[in-house]
Amino acid sequence: MSFKTIEMNDQVTLIPNNSLITNTPEEGRQLAVKMARLIIKITQPDPEVREQLRPKYAHDASNLIAIGQTVAIEFATIAKANNYWK
Amino acid sequence: MSFKTIEMNDQVTLIPNNSLITNTPEEGRQLAVKMARLIIKITQPDPEVREQLRPKYAHDASNLIAIGQTVAIEFATIAKANNYWK
Amino acid sequence: MSFKTIEMNDQVTLIPNNSLITNTPEEGRQLAVKMARLIIKITQPDPEVREQLRPKYAHDASNLIAIGQTVAIEFATIAKANNYWK
Amino acid sequence: MSFKTIEMNDQVTLIPNNSLITNTPEEGRQLAVKMARLIIKITQPDPEVREQLRPKYAHDASNLIAIGQTVAIEFATIAKANNYWK
Amino acid sequence: MSFKTIEMNDQVTLIPNNSLITNTPEEGRQLAVKMARLIIKITQPDPEVREQLRPKYAHDASNLIAIGQTVAIEFATIAKANNYWK
Amino acid sequence: MSFKTIEMNDQVTLIPNNSLITNTPEEGRQLAVKMARLIIKITQPDPEVREQLRPKYAHDASNLIAIGQTVAIEFATIAKANNYWK
């Protein structure tokens, strides 16, 4: 983990719109994906390195499943925040 | 992770029917499986690559278990949304 | 993941009895184990392949622990559904 | 996973006392450990194999941590069932 | 997993103070760390083996992250027990 | 895990401000990242070793995803503590 990066950095946005509230489940799901990506982005801020790593995400079955687990956990929080859009 | 793909893309549906509410637990379970698959689909949008990776899912004990964990987490959210269909 | 299989298939039952409600914690625990197995079953529908993979589950410490994690997550949902059988 | 074993088997007890309710947090914690072990036991019912695998659990840092994760998830459910023994 | 060890052993304390209630979040966090360590301790009761394994925890990035996941899950339970110290 | 380190050490702060309450979701998200890092810090207190391990975090796709899972679990707790900042 890049410790310098994870200092409170006013330029890093971790939650777009600074809210967990969305209009629809679909938007909530997209927010979950975004929030998961932004943690990868602040841990590895170099876009070239992330580009090199992309096949490791997108061509590796274990990593594809693990990404799904991360999104599932994020979405659980967002869904609760929105009271399941009921 | 394919960053281009994860931009808000009006053509990618992550939650069929844009709702977590289903009539039965069985349908909720199928929705959990669908939602987990759609994250794999947007992370690896190339169907040929997904086809190549299929044996890595379906013939690997560790990956089969990990898929189960993802579905379990998704289903926990859906079950709560439906108040356990009670 | 076998995408053909995961289409809404009226012949695949993912939740026996189509209910999360059981009479006792023990039955809830068995349901959690069943539900976890059924995800493996739909992801790898070929019983010969599952038979080949059985030692990978049952003779591998890491996989045995990972199965326990899946069952623990499923059981958390079932226990909540049953209000902990209180 | 030994599919024969996971059939509803009246001889396999997955939850001692068929209850999640315990008198103290300590007993709840022990129950979490027991429940996690019993899933390993039903997945690998042969005590000789479990004995062979013991070093893989007890001498492998990754597996030791993973066991902790399983117990943590089980304990979360038991603690909720007991309303945190408050 | 050392099955002999995990028998109900009145000499093994898994939760110091036999309570999940702490005065502050910081103490709750420390309790989460302690509880996670104690599961490692009962699974591997030999202090010499634990000493040998220490570099595997403390010098391995994947294991360091996995420890964090265990503590996060334990802390979620403790935080709920304390109603988030609000 | 460095057992000496994890003794109650009045000099190790695991939760800045000793509170889970933040003004905004963004601050809550940053707190989740901080809390996850601090567990790594107390498990590996040597800054030189953490510096050596940094590429293992930041250049390894699996570890990047796993960090995301840890942050997601921590954030779930913080979000609940703040009632989702609603």
Side-chain angles (χ1 to χ4, degrees):
Chain A
M1 202 176 279
S2 171
F3 290 118
K4 277 222 194 98
T5 306
I6 295 170
E7 288 303 321
M8 272 245 201
N9 183 340
D10 294 337
Q11 291 171 329
V12 178
T13 303
L14 296 178
I15 303 182
N17 292 332
N18 205 356
S19 171
L20 300 178
I21 306 306
T22 69
N23 287 324
T24 68
E26 182 73 19
E27 287 176 23
R29 193 75 173 163
Q30 288 174 338
L31 178 60
V33 170
K34 261 214 174 90
M35 284 170 54
R37 289 174 57 216
L38 288 166
I39 297 301
I40 293 178
K41 193 172 180 183
I42 66 161
T43 310
Q44 180 46 263
D46 186 337
E48 285 187 29
V49 174
R50 289 198 312 268
E51 189 63 27
Q52 291 170 16
L53 290 176
R54 192 191 301 188
K56 293 292 165 76
Y57 294 119
H59 288 259
D60 179 291
S62 303
N63 281 340
L64 281 168
I65 298 166
I67 285 167
Q69 290 175 1
T70 312
V71 172
I73 301 167
E74 300 285 15
F75 183 71
T77 300
I78 293 166
K80 280 197 206 86
N82 286 275
N83 196 26
Y84 308 98
W85 299 275
K86 288 196 288 202
Chain B
M1 201 176 278
S2 172
F3 290 118
K4 275 224 196 98
T5 306
I6 296 167
E7 289 303 320
M8 272 246 201
N9 183 340
D10 294 336
Q11 291 170 328
V12 178
T13 303
L14 296 178
I15 303 182
N17 292 332
N18 205 357
S19 171
L20 301 178
I21 306 305
T22 69
N23 288 324
T24 67
E26 182 73 19
E27 286 176 25
R29 193 75 173 163
Q30 289 173 339
L31 178 60
V33 171
K34 262 216 172 89
M35 283 169 56
R37 290 174 57 215
L38 287 166
I39 297 302
I40 294 178
K41 193 172 180 183
I42 67 160
T43 310
Q44 179 45 263
D46 186 338
E48 285 187 30
V49 174
R50 293 199 308 269
E51 189 64 26
Q52 291 170 14
L53 290 176
R54 192 190 302 187
K56 294 291 165 80
Y57 293 119
H59 288 258
D60 180 289
S62 303
N63 281 340
L64 281 168
I65 298 166
I67 285 167
Q69 290 175 2
T70 312
V71 171
I73 301 167
E74 300 283 16
F75 183 71
T77 300
I78 293 166
K80 280 197 206 85
N82 285 275
N83 196 26
Y84 308 98
W85 300 274
K86 290 197 287 200
Chain C
M1 200 175 278
S2 172
F3 290 118
K4 276 226 195 94
T5 305
I6 296 168
E7 290 301 321
M8 273 247 202
N9 184 339
D10 293 336
Q11 292 171 327
V12 176
T13 302
L14 296 179
I15 303 182
N17 292 332
N18 205 357
S19 173
L20 300 179
I21 306 305
T22 68
N23 288 325
T24 67
E26 183 73 19
E27 287 175 24
R29 193 75 173 163
Q30 289 174 339
L31 178 60
V33 171
K34 262 215 173 89
M35 283 170 54
R37 291 174 56 216
L38 288 165
I39 297 301
I40 294 177
K41 193 173 180 184
I42 67 159
T43 310
Q44 179 45 264
D46 186 338
E48 285 187 29
V49 175
R50 291 199 310 269
E51 188 65 24
Q52 291 170 15
L53 291 176
R54 191 189 302 186
K56 293 291 164 79
Y57 293 120
H59 288 258
D60 180 289
S62 302
N63 281 339
L64 282 168
I65 298 166
I67 285 167
Q69 289 175 2
T70 312
V71 172
I73 301 167
E74 300 283 17
F75 183 71
T77 299
I78 293 166
K80 280 197 204 84
N82 286 274
N83 196 27
Y84 307 98
W85 300 275
K86 290 195 288 199
Chain D
M1 203 175 274
S2 172
F3 289 119
K4 276 226 194 95
T5 306
I6 296 169
E7 289 302 322
M8 273 246 204
N9 183 340
D10 294 335
Q11 292 171 326
V12 176
T13 303
L14 296 180
I15 302 183
N17 291 331
N18 205 358
S19 172
L20 300 179
I21 306 305
T22 69
N23 288 325
T24 66
E26 183 73 20
E27 287 175 24
R29 193 75 173 162
Q30 289 173 340
L31 177 60
V33 171
K34 262 215 173 85
M35 284 171 53
R37 290 174 56 216
L38 288 166
I39 297 302
I40 294 178
K41 192 172 179 183
I42 66 159
T43 310
Q44 178 45 264
D46 186 338
E48 284 187 29
V49 175
R50 290 198 312 268
E51 189 64 25
Q52 290 170 16
L53 291 176
R54 191 190 302 187
K56 294 289 164 79
Y57 293 119
H59 288 258
D60 180 290
S62 302
N63 281 339
L64 282 168
I65 298 166
I67 285 167
Q69 289 176 0
T70 312
V71 171
I73 300 167
E74 301 284 16
F75 183 72
T77 300
I78 293 165
K80 279 198 205 85
N82 286 275
N83 196 26
Y84 307 99
W85 300 275
K86 287 193 292 196
Chain E
M1 201 176 274
S2 170
F3 291 119
K4 276 225 195 97
T5 307
I6 297 170
E7 288 302 321
M8 271 247 203
N9 183 341
D10 294 336
Q11 291 171 326
V12 177
T13 302
L14 296 179
I15 303 183
N17 291 330
N18 205 359
S19 172
L20 301 179
I21 306 305
T22 69
N23 287 325
T24 66
E26 182 73 20
E27 288 175 25
R29 194 74 175 161
Q30 290 174 337
L31 178 59
V33 171
K34 261 215 174 86
M35 284 170 53
R37 289 175 57 216
L38 288 166
I39 297 301
I40 293 178
K41 192 172 179 183
I42 66 159
T43 310
Q44 179 45 264
D46 186 337
E48 285 186 27
V49 175
R50 290 198 312 270
E51 189 65 25
Q52 290 170 15
L53 290 176
R54 191 190 302 188
K56 294 290 164 78
Y57 294 119
H59 288 257
D60 180 290
S62 303
N63 281 340
L64 281 168
I65 298 166
I67 285 166
Q69 289 176 0
T70 313
V71 172
I73 301 168
E74 299 284 16
F75 183 72
T77 299
I78 293 165
K80 279 198 205 84
N82 287 274
N83 196 26
Y84 307 99
W85 299 276
K86 287 193 291 199
Chain F
M1 199 176 279
S2 170
F3 290 118
K4 275 222 195 99
T5 307
I6 296 171
E7 289 303 320
M8 271 244 202
N9 183 340
D10 294 336
Q11 291 170 328
V12 177
T13 302
L14 296 178
I15 303 182
N17 292 330
N18 205 356
S19 172
L20 301 178
I21 306 307
T22 69
N23 287 324
T24 67
E26 183 73 19
E27 288 175 23
R29 193 73 174 162
Q30 290 174 337
L31 177 59
V33 171
K34 260 213 175 91
M35 284 170 54
R37 289 176 56 215
L38 288 166
I39 297 301
I40 294 178
K41 192 172 179 183
I42 65 160
T43 311
Q44 180 45 264
D46 187 336
E48 285 187 27
V49 174
R50 290 197 312 269
E51 188 63 28
Q52 291 170 14
L53 290 176
R54 192 191 301 189
K56 293 290 165 77
Y57 294 120
H59 288 258
D60 180 291
S62 303
N63 282 339
L64 282 168
I65 297 167
I67 285 167
Q69 290 176 1
T70 312
V71 172
I73 301 167
E74 299 285 15
F75 183 71
T77 300
I78 293 166
K80 281 199 204 84
N82 286 274
N83 195 26
Y84 307 99
W85 299 276
K86 287 196 289 200

